[in-house]
Amino acid sequence: MASDDVANLADSLAKTQVNEGELSYKGQGLKLDNAQSVAEIVKEVEEFDGLRALRLEGNTIGVEAAQTIAKALEKKSNLQCCHWSDMFTGRLRAEIPPALVSLGDALITAGARLKVLDLSDNAFGPDGVKGIEKLLKSAACHSLQELRLNNCGMGIGGGKILAAALTACHRESSALGVPLQLKVFIAGRNRLENDGATALAQAFQLIGSLEEVHMPQNGINYPGVTALATAMQHNPQLRVLNLNDNTFTKRGAIAMAEALKHLRNVQVINFGDCLVRSEGASAIAETLREGLPILKELNLSFGEITEEAALEVARSVQHKDQLEKLDLNGNSLGEDGCDNLKEVMDSMNMGDKLGSLSDDEGEPEEDEDEDDDDDEDVEEEEEEEEEEEGEGEEEKSELNQFSTPPSAPRTPDVSSFLSFPSPDKLLRLGERRSSLIQQQVDVLDVSKTAEAFLKISSVYKEDDAEVKSAVLESIDAVLSKAFFTPSFQGLSFVSSLLVMLGLLKSEDKLKPVKVVPGHLQCLEHAIKQSYFPRENITVLNAFMARQNKSLEVCSSARDRLKFTLQNLTPES
C-alpha cells in the first residue's frame, strides 16, 4: 500500500465518528479496493465492543474490500443499523451483487437482528436486489423496521424480487411468532412502474405495520396507484404517504381518497405532481371532511386542479387543528382563483397554512372535452397494463415470476415515452427511436424542446450501455435538428433549460424539474457536439458557476459539467 494512501486513510480514520454504539466512516470518500486498503477499518470494527451501527456511506467499496469487512462483521451479533448508502460509486454493476452477498452473509452468520438497512443511492439494479434477497429473507431481517432503497434503479424486476423477499420474511417470522413489523419503506426513483408497485403493494398489505411509505418518481400509473391504495388500508398506523411525481389521474386519485377514509393516523400526504385533477381533488376533499383528524401536511401541487376543486380542498381542512401546510401551487386556478383561495383560507384563520401560489398555471383553456378524451386514452392504456399484470399474477412463483418482467410487452409510442419516460419504453421504441422522437418534438417551440431534452435525459444510465446509447442518440437527433433550424432561438432554449433546472427564475412561471444526474450528464455530452453553439456554452458556464441547491443532489455530475464548460468556454 503506497505511503500516501496510508496517510490518507489515517487522516480519514482520525475523522471517524464514534457515537454510542456507532462506528462511522460517513462521507470520507475512501476508495477501498482490497483487503489491505481496509485493514485499519477491520481492526476498528473487530475491537469495537457492542457495535450497533456501522456507517459506510459516501465511500466506494470493491468486492475484496467488502468480503474483508464482512469477515469482521461475522462476530458482531449486536449490529442493528447498516447505513450503507452511496458506497459503490464508480464500481461496475457486476461488482455490487457479490459485495452485497458477502456483507449479507456475514450478518446472517453473526446472528444480527437488524432494525435499519439503508442501501439508497447505489444504482445496483435488479441484480443488486438479488444480492440482498437472501439477507431480506433471513432471520437477520425479521426485526427490520426501516428499509431504505431510494434511487437504486431496481426497475420492475427488482421490485418483484424485493416484494417476494419481504413476503417470505413476513411468512417465516410469523411462523416463529414474531411477524415482521416494517415501519418505514423508502424506494423513490426506482422505475418500479405498475408491475413493481403492484407486487410491493401485495407485500405491504400482508405486512400491515407500515408507518411511512415513500415511493416518489417511479412511473406508477392508475393500476399501480390503485393497488397501493388497497394496501394502505391494511396499514392502520400509516403516518406518511409520499407518492410525489407519479400519475394518478382521476381514477387513481379517487381510489386513494377512498383508501384514506380507513386511516386515522395519517399526518403527511404528498401527492404533488401526481395529476390528481379536479375530480380526484374533490374526492380527497370529501375524505378530509370525514376523516384524517391529525393531518399536518397536504401537497396537491401541480395536479391540474381548477378553482372550484381547490376551494373544496381548502374548506375541507377547516377543522384540521394540527394542519401546518396546504400546498396547491402549480394548479390551474387563474389569478381570481388564487385570490379566492387565499380569501377562503384567511376567513378560516388559516391563511398562514397556505403555501405559495407563485407557479399557478392559470385558468384552463376551454377544451375540456379534449382533456376528457385524453383521460380516456390514458385510462384505456392503463387498463391494458392492468390486464397484463393480471395474467402474470396467475402464473407467478415465489422467486422466478417475481424476477422476470411480463413477456411480450406492448410497444409504446413516442407520446407515451415523453409523457412517462422510462428506459424500458425508450428501448422498446426500436432502432428508429431517435428519428421518431425527432419527428415528435416541435423544435420551433423552445420550451417544448427543453422539456423533451429533460424527459429523454432523465432515463440516462451511465452503467447501462444500451440505455446510454439510446438516450444520447435521441438527444443528438432532437438538438441537432433544433440548432440547425434557422428560426430556432438557441438562447431562448438555453434560458428555458436553465429555468426548468431551477438555475434561473421564470418570468413565465415555467415549472422546475427535480434534477437527476442524467440531466447534467446529457447536457455535458450535448455541449461537446458540433451542433451546440459556442455562445450558448458561455451563458451556461456563467449560470453553472453559481451556487445552487437544486444541483447539490447531483454533485458529481454537476462538477463534471462545470469542468467541461470551463474548458469549452472561449477566453475573453
Side-chain angles (χ1 to χ4, degrees):
M1 190 173 187
S3 58
D4 287 346
D5 292 337
V6 173
N8 290 337
L9 182 56
D11 181 60
S12 295
L13 290 172
K15 300 174 184 175
T16 299
Q17 299 174 5
V18 183
N19 297 325
E20 185 179 356
E22 177 182 290
L23 187 58
S24 175
Y25 303 92
K26 180 179 179 179
Q28 295 183 13
L30 300 174
K31 191 172 187 296
L32 307 171
D33 296 323
N34 50 39
Q36 191 175 7
S37 68
V38 295
E40 292 297 326
I41 293 175
V42 166
K43 181 181 178 182
E44 289 207 353
V45 170
E46 290 176 339
E47 293 177 352
F48 198 118
D49 292 331
L51 180 65
R52 291 201 297 272
L54 178 61
R55 308 194 77 105
L56 295 173
E57 64 264 54
N59 300 290
T60 176
I61 301 176
V63 176
E64 184 180 334
Q67 291 170 340
T68 308
I69 294 172
K71 193 69 178 175
L73 292 177
E74 289 181 356
K75 297 180 181 178
K76 299 299 172 181
S77 60
N78 293 320
L79 190 62
Q80 297 177 351
C81 302
C82 297
H83 300 283
W84 295 348
S85 63
D86 188 23
M87 65 176 194
F88 295 114
T89 301
R91 300 291 172 183
L92 297 175
R93 180 174 288 188
E95 294 182 82
I96 301 177
L100 291 173
V101 168
S102 61
L103 291 167
D105 285 349
L107 298 175
I108 296 170
T109 300
R113 292 294 181 266
L114 295 184
K115 291 185 178 179
V116 178
L117 178 60
D118 186 356
L119 289 166
S120 298
D121 300 316
N122 278 313
F124 47 49
D127 289 340
V129 185
K130 292 179 183 178
I132 59 171
E133 181 180 14
K134 180 180 177 183
L135 172 64
L136 290 173
K137 289 181 176 181
S138 75
C141 285
H142 287 181
S143 53
L144 194 64
Q145 295 180 10
E146 297 185 18
L147 180 57
R148 301 170 181 267
L149 296 169
N150 201 56
N151 191 31
C152 288
M154 289 190 288
I156 295 171
K160 290 184 173 183
I161 298 169
L162 177 61
L166 290 174
T167 300
C169 182
H170 184 269
R171 182 177 62 248
E172 295 297 325
S173 59
S174 296
L176 296 173
V178 283
L180 172 66
Q181 294 288 301
L182 188 66
K183 295 180 180 179
V184 177
F185 180 84
I186 300 176
R189 293 172 59 183
N190 270 293
R191 298 187 288 111
L192 295 171
E193 302 185 22
N194 290 329
D195 287 3
T198 299
L200 285 166
Q202 293 167 352
F204 296 162
Q205 183 168 332
L206 183 66
I207 292 168
S209 57
L210 288 166
E211 297 180 9
E212 294 187 28
V213 175
H214 302 262
M215 297 174 67
Q217 286 185 276
N218 269 298
I220 306 170
N221 299 333
Y222 156 68
V225 171
T226 301
L228 288 170
T230 300
M232 293 306 104
Q233 296 181 44
H234 296 268
N235 288 266
Q237 300 306 313
L238 188 71
R239 294 183 295 104
V240 179
L241 182 57
N242 176 7
L243 295 175
N244 186 280
D245 204 5
N246 290 292
T247 306
F248 285 32
T249 63
K250 67 182 182 183
R251 294 172 66 185
I254 291 171
M256 194 60 73
E258 287 298 315
L260 290 171
K261 290 179 179 179
H262 299 269
L263 303 171
R264 304 286 296 176
N265 294 300
V266 175
Q267 298 177 16
V268 178
I269 297 173
N270 187 343
F271 296 162
D273 281 305
C274 283
L275 207 65
V276 299
R277 296 208 168 114
S278 296
E279 194 167 344
S282 295
I284 292 171
E286 179 184 343
T287 296
L288 286 165
R289 286 191 293 270
E290 298 174 2
L292 301 174
I294 60 173
L295 187 69
K296 292 183 178 180
E297 296 182 22
L298 174 61
N299 184 347
L300 295 177
S301 60
F302 299 99
E304 294 190 2
I305 300 169
T306 55
E307 177 186 352
E308 183 178 351
L311 294 177
E312 280 187 67
V313 172
R315 294 186 182 104
S316 71
V317 301
Q318 181 173 5
H319 301 295
K320 306 301 177 195
D321 297 334
Q322 298 186 38
L323 188 73
E324 297 174 2
K325 184 176 181 180
L326 172 62
D327 190 348
L328 288 166
N329 198 17
N331 284 298
S332 304
L333 310 184
E335 187 174 348
D336 290 342
C338 289
D339 290 340
N340 292 337
L341 178 60
K342 292 175 184 176
E343 183 178 331
V344 166
M345 293 296 287
D346 287 337
S347 71
M348 301 186 299
N349 294 318
M350 301 179 77
D352 59 330
K353 313 299 183 188
L354 181 64
S356 169
L357 299 173
S358 60
D359 294 319
D360 187 73
E361 300 285 350
E363 294 184 52
E365 300 291 333
E366 295 183 2
D367 56 355
E368 293 181 1
D369 291 340
E370 182 179 336
D371 288 344
D372 291 341
D373 291 339
D374 289 344
D375 275 359
E376 292 172 5
D377 291 340
V378 170
E379 289 166 5
E380 285 174 5
E381 177 181 331
E382 292 167 343
E383 287 169 352
E384 291 176 19
E385 292 176 352
E386 189 174 23
E387 290 171 4
E388 291 175 358
E389 291 170 3
E391 292 170 3
E393 288 297 316
E394 291 174 2
E395 56 186 29
K396 71 183 179 187
S397 64
E398 179 175 304
L399 173 61
N400 293 334
Q401 176 63 23
F402 272 89
S403 61
T404 306
S407 59
R410 290 180 296 111
T411 301
D413 59 19
V414 176
S415 297
S416 174
F417 166 70
L418 290 176
S419 297
F420 310 111
S422 75
D424 294 335
K425 285 183 180 179
L426 179 62
L427 295 179
R428 296 208 311 263
L429 288 174
E431 297 293 331
R432 297 184 60 245
R433 65 179 71 88
S434 59
S435 61
L436 292 172
I437 293 173
Q438 183 190 66
Q439 293 168 17
Q440 180 78 14
V441 177
D442 179 8
V443 298
L444 296 180
D445 187 323
V446 293
S447 293
K448 290 181 179 178
T449 305
E451 184 179 359
F453 169 84
L454 294 174
K455 288 286 185 70
I456 299 166
S457 59
S458 70
V459 305
Y460 178 88
K461 300 289 290 182
E462 181 68 33
D463 53 0
D464 188 324
E466 187 178 10
V467 172
K468 178 179 178 180
S469 176
V471 168
L472 295 182
E473 286 176 5
S474 302
I475 291 292
D476 288 340
V478 171
L479 293 189
S480 61
K481 178 183 177 182
F483 283 115
F484 289 149
T485 299
S487 57
F488 183 69
Q489 301 295 317
L491 288 176
S492 295
F493 164 77
V494 171
S495 296
S496 294
L497 195 60
L498 290 169
V499 168
M500 292 178 186
L501 290 172
L503 301 178
L504 179 63
K505 189 173 181 180
S506 170
E507 296 179 357
D508 300 321
K509 298 181 180 178
L510 287 173
K511 171 186 154 191
V513 300
K514 293 177 179 63
V515 182
V516 297
H519 292 147
L520 306 184
Q521 290 165 322
C522 290
L523 185 55
E524 183 192 8
H525 165 82
I527 63 176
K528 293 188 287 188
Q529 307 309 308
S530 58
Y531 57 70
F532 205 96
R534 299 300 96 178
E535 62 269 21
N536 292 357
I537 291 177
T538 303
V539 174
L540 280 172
N541 186 46
F543 279 91
M544 286 298 300
R546 302 177 180 178
Q547 290 292 328
N548 192 284
K549 291 184 179 180
S550 68
L551 303 185
E552 288 180 359
V553 293
C554 312
S555 57
S556 178
R558 175 200 63 194
D559 293 344
R560 283 174 47 191
L561 174 58
K562 289 171 69 173
F563 178 78
T564 303
L565 282 166
Q566 290 166 3
N567 287 340
L568 292 176
T569 300
E571 295 183 5
S572 56

